[in-house]
Every structure is written in C-alpha cells, then in structure tokens.
Amino acid sequence: MRDNTYVVIMAGGIGSRFWPFSRTNYPKQFHDVLGIGETMLQMTMNRFKDICPPENVFVVTNKDYKELVQEQLPELSDNQILLEPVGRNTAPCVAYASYKIAQLNPNANLIVTPSDHAVLKQDVFTSVIREAVEAVAKDDILLTLGITPSRPDTGYGYIQYINNESQSIKKVKTFTEKPNLELAKMFLESGEFVWNSGIFIWNVQTILRAFHQHLSDITEIFDEGSAVMNTPEERDFITRAYSQFRNVSIDYGVMEKVDNVYVMLTDIGWSDLGTWNSLYTINTKDEQGNVVDGDVMLYDTKDCIVKTPKDRLVVIQGLEDYIVAEYDNVLMICKKTEEQKVKEFMADAKSKKGPDYI
C-alpha cells in the first residue's frame, strides 16, 4: 500500500489574505509562518514521511517558484516539481499531477493537499490518512477530509453529510462555499455539517474518470499529451496546455458534481492558516491574549497579533484587537475585525504604489 501511495502538494497560490507577509515573489507557503523553524511547505512535506516514500511526493507550483521549492525541499528530483506556466485554479493542477502519476503507476492512490495548512495532531492525521487510502483503494469513491467545526466560521467551505452512525466515512449531501454568519450558525446547530479541509484522497483511475465525465475540456488536452509525461517534452506540452485551460476549481468542477463523493469526519487539529485571524486562533497567547513573533515590547496592549522582522525592535502601546504585520517594505496595522480588507489594501497598494509592494 505504501508504495502505491502518492502525495500531491499544491503550492502555487499567492496567499493574498495574508499580505503583507505573503508576497507575489515569496508566498506564505515558503515562510516559517508559525515561527518554529520550518516553512509551511516543509511542514507539509514532513507530515507525510510515515505515509509514503519521499520519491512519491510531487509538488505543483508556479514556474516562478521552482528555485524556492528546490531550496526548501532538496530531496525532490526535478521530475517531482510540476511547474505551471500560469495559475488556473486547482482543477488543472490536480489533472496535471494525476496524469503524470498515472503514467508512472496506474494503481496509484493520491492524497492531494494544500501546502499552507496546519495540522497539530500528527499521529491522528497519519492514522486518518492511512484509513482513507485503504478506503479509496478498495472502493470507487472520491474522499475529502471533513473537520468538526468549533465555531460558525464564515471563511470556510462546509460539507453536509448523510449521517450513518456506524461509519466515520459519510456520503456527501451538499457543498456550501463560505456562508454568511446566520447560515454558518444554522450549520453548526444542525450537527450535519463539517468544514471542508481541501485535503482529498482518491485512486488515480477514479479521479481521471471523474475528470473525463465532468471536465472533458481538460481531459481532451491531457489525453493528447499523456505520452510525453515524464519525458523532456513534458514542459513544452504543459505550456501549450495551460494556455487553453479555463480557471476552475476541483471543488466546483468535480466534487460538487459527482455522486460518489464521501467525507471522512476528523479532528486533526487543522487550520487553513488563510488569514491573520486563523493564525491568531491557532497560536499560543500571552497573559494579555497577544500572539507575538518578533523583537517586540508591548505596553497596555491585548488581543493583538504582531509579526515583525526579528532584526527590528518594535514598541507598541495602547492597542487592542489589532494586526501588526511587517515584511520587507510594508508595515500594516489593521483591526482584527476588519481583516477582510487586507485584500483591498493589497490591491490599492498595487494600483497606487506599484508592484514592488505586493
């Protein structure tokens, strides 16, 4: 089973909600976000060390990040780093990896994971993934990990499942993307919903059949070029292919349309670390409720998250419930309750100040 298990790490995003720490030329997956001496990408790679051999791990990223991946994951060969010429969302990304791995091993079972999530319960995660891989190797199903919600969060997608008390793997009833607060509260109260982790498990043949059924415009292109996968001609083919792909997510293009999609209920200490508030929530706080990463002196300050360069002394007085974030040439100070404006700040910085600030 271990030799037939493959991991696909999606590492091409920019992470705009985490600006100014996450930048176009250095996105958050390449940063030590938690201040533990490992980048998010390295943490993700290490998460699977007891699940599959390192030669079975593939990273899909933008061509501009090739050197960053090589620097942070030197154990990967060039053939394990899949370079997208342009971002086209997660469906083309998953299709690329699936065709490439299917050519290497037609019996492969794939785990598809983002590169910038946190999992705090490693032992539980390893056990869950092993069970999930066994399930998809045996049955023709597409499986996603569902996270037991702890609050009515409007920043996550939700999965409604058909309850079956005897099994941890449930048939999916509906997907809902980022509901409003009232709806999120209803979901939580019903007990029938979990957060969508964005971590998928399936057999490579199962996902390829789903692609052929629901995203035939993508499979027509890959079918023509499947013979050049894992050869020197692959790069030129991918450049041509991506110029024809539309922007579509794996959730919308496949998972929300198939009738063999299931969710495995889990509690793995998961966070998508997509926003400053999610980083605040997952971190240890001081006595005043502050999360601090940097050389910082605080006075009369509480419930803040501060992430600044360690070679710069930062003194803060009188703030409550704020984000203070500095990286490179940008310092941002923003109310935590207004963090949805971060993407707006980033867009304004680009239009008014130029690309050097994004």
Side-chain angles (χ1 to χ4, degrees):
M1 183 70 74
R2 179 178 166 87
D3 288 340
N4 282 344
T5 301
Y6 289 74
V7 173
V8 177
I9 301 175
M10 300 182 290
I14 296 174
S16 57
R17 291 182 297 167
F18 216 65
W19 186 81
F21 193 63
S22 188
R23 308 292 280 272
T24 303
N25 64 344
Y26 210 93
K28 67 173 180 176
Q29 60 266 29
F30 301 110
H31 286 274
D32 178 10
V33 172
L34 296 178
I36 60 172
E38 280 187 335
T39 68
M40 298 303 295
L41 178 62
Q42 291 169 329
M43 285 177 60
T44 305
M45 177 75 183
N46 291 336
R47 193 171 297 146
F48 293 94
K49 64 183 179 181
D50 293 328
I51 292 169
C52 75
E55 60 267 25
N56 286 12
V57 178
F58 290 77
V59 175
V60 188
T61 191
N62 187 280
K63 61 179 176 56
D64 294 338
Y65 306 144
K66 178 183 179 181
E67 287 75 19
L68 285 171
V69 175
Q70 290 174 322
E71 177 186 330
Q72 296 191 6
L73 301 179
E75 62 269 41
L76 299 187
S77 69
D78 285 349
N79 196 49
Q80 291 172 266
I81 304 173
L82 284 60
L83 302 177
E84 296 182 298
V86 62
R88 286 290 184 260
N89 215 317
T90 52
C93 162
V94 171
Y96 180 10
S98 299
Y99 270 85
K100 187 176 179 73
I101 293 170
Q103 203 264 355
L104 294 170
N105 183 348
N107 300 314
N109 301 303
L110 308 186
I111 304 152
V112 179
T113 178
S115 59
D116 53 0
H117 290 187
V119 171
L120 301 183
K121 300 179 181 180
Q122 178 63 46
D123 290 345
V124 177
F125 176 79
T126 300
S127 176
V128 163
I129 290 296
R130 286 175 176 164
E131 181 182 348
V133 170
E134 288 181 7
V136 302
K138 181 180 65 173
D139 296 319
D140 184 22
I141 63 173
L142 302 177
L143 188 58
T144 184
L145 298 190
I147 308 301
T148 305
S150 58
R151 60 189 182 278
D153 200 302
T154 60
Y156 295 149
Y158 285 74
I159 298 172
Q160 184 183 23
Y161 58 88
I162 299 171
N163 201 9
N164 182 335
E165 296 295 338
S166 64
Q167 296 179 343
S168 61
I169 296 177
K170 319 281 189 180
K171 190 169 178 55
V172 169
K173 188 175 182 180
T174 62
F175 287 88
T176 303
E177 279 300 314
K178 298 179 182 177
N180 60 38
L181 184 58
E182 199 62 36
L183 200 55
K185 288 179 179 178
M186 290 173 58
F187 288 171
L188 205 64
E189 291 167 3
S190 75
E192 298 177 353
F193 289 80
V194 287
W195 288 335
N196 185 354
S197 70
I199 300 172
F200 307 107
I201 306 95
W202 42 54
N203 182 270
V204 70
Q205 301 302 331
T206 306
I207 189 62
L208 288 178
R209 280 193 292 272
F211 266 105
H212 277 92
Q213 184 177 358
H214 298 286
L215 289 173
S216 59
D217 56 323
I218 291 178
T219 57
E220 285 175 6
I221 296 169
F222 272 117
D223 284 344
E224 291 178 3
S226 60
V228 303
M229 288 295 177
N230 304 295
T231 75
E233 287 76 42
E234 178 183 320
R235 179 70 57 82
D236 288 342
F237 164 71
I238 289 299
T239 299
R240 295 193 304 273
Y242 267 73
S243 69
Q244 302 173 67
F245 292 150
R246 57 192 169 103
N247 188 304
V248 58
S249 71
I250 190 69
D251 295 85
Y252 177 77
V254 174
M255 300 299 281
E256 295 178 16
K257 294 180 169 62
V258 295
D259 58 7
N260 62 334
V261 59
Y262 287 74
V263 61
M264 187 172 182
L265 309 191
T266 64
D267 180 10
I268 54 176
W270 172 90
S271 172
D272 77 340
L273 290 183
T275 64
W276 287 104
N277 262 314
S278 64
L279 181 59
Y280 176 82
T281 301
I282 202 173
N283 262 294
T284 303
K285 285 79 172 173
D286 65 17
E287 292 180 356
Q288 286 71 46
N290 298 303
V291 172
V292 177
D293 183 7
D295 189 3
V296 181
M297 297 171 62
L298 299 178
Y299 301 88
D300 305 318
T301 293
K302 65 179 183 177
D303 302 330
C304 290
I305 178 166
V306 182
K307 193 168 181 64
T308 55
K310 290 179 170 55
D311 59 355
R312 182 191 300 273
L313 175 63
V314 175
V315 181
I316 297 173
Q317 189 274 332
L319 290 187
E320 180 177 347
D321 213 32
Y322 268 80
I323 302 163
V324 180
E326 181 182 5
Y327 181 76
D328 196 14
N329 55 357
V330 178
L331 167 67
M332 182 190 74
I333 303 171
C334 171
K335 290 182 180 178
K336 291 218 313 281
T337 55
E338 300 289 333
E339 73 163 353
Q340 71 274 9
K341 293 184 177 179
V342 170
K343 292 182 75 172
E344 178 185 335
F345 299 156
M346 182 178 176
D348 285 348
K350 181 180 180 180
S351 64
K352 297 176 181 179
K353 301 294 183 180
D356 290 346
Y357 296 92
I358 63 155

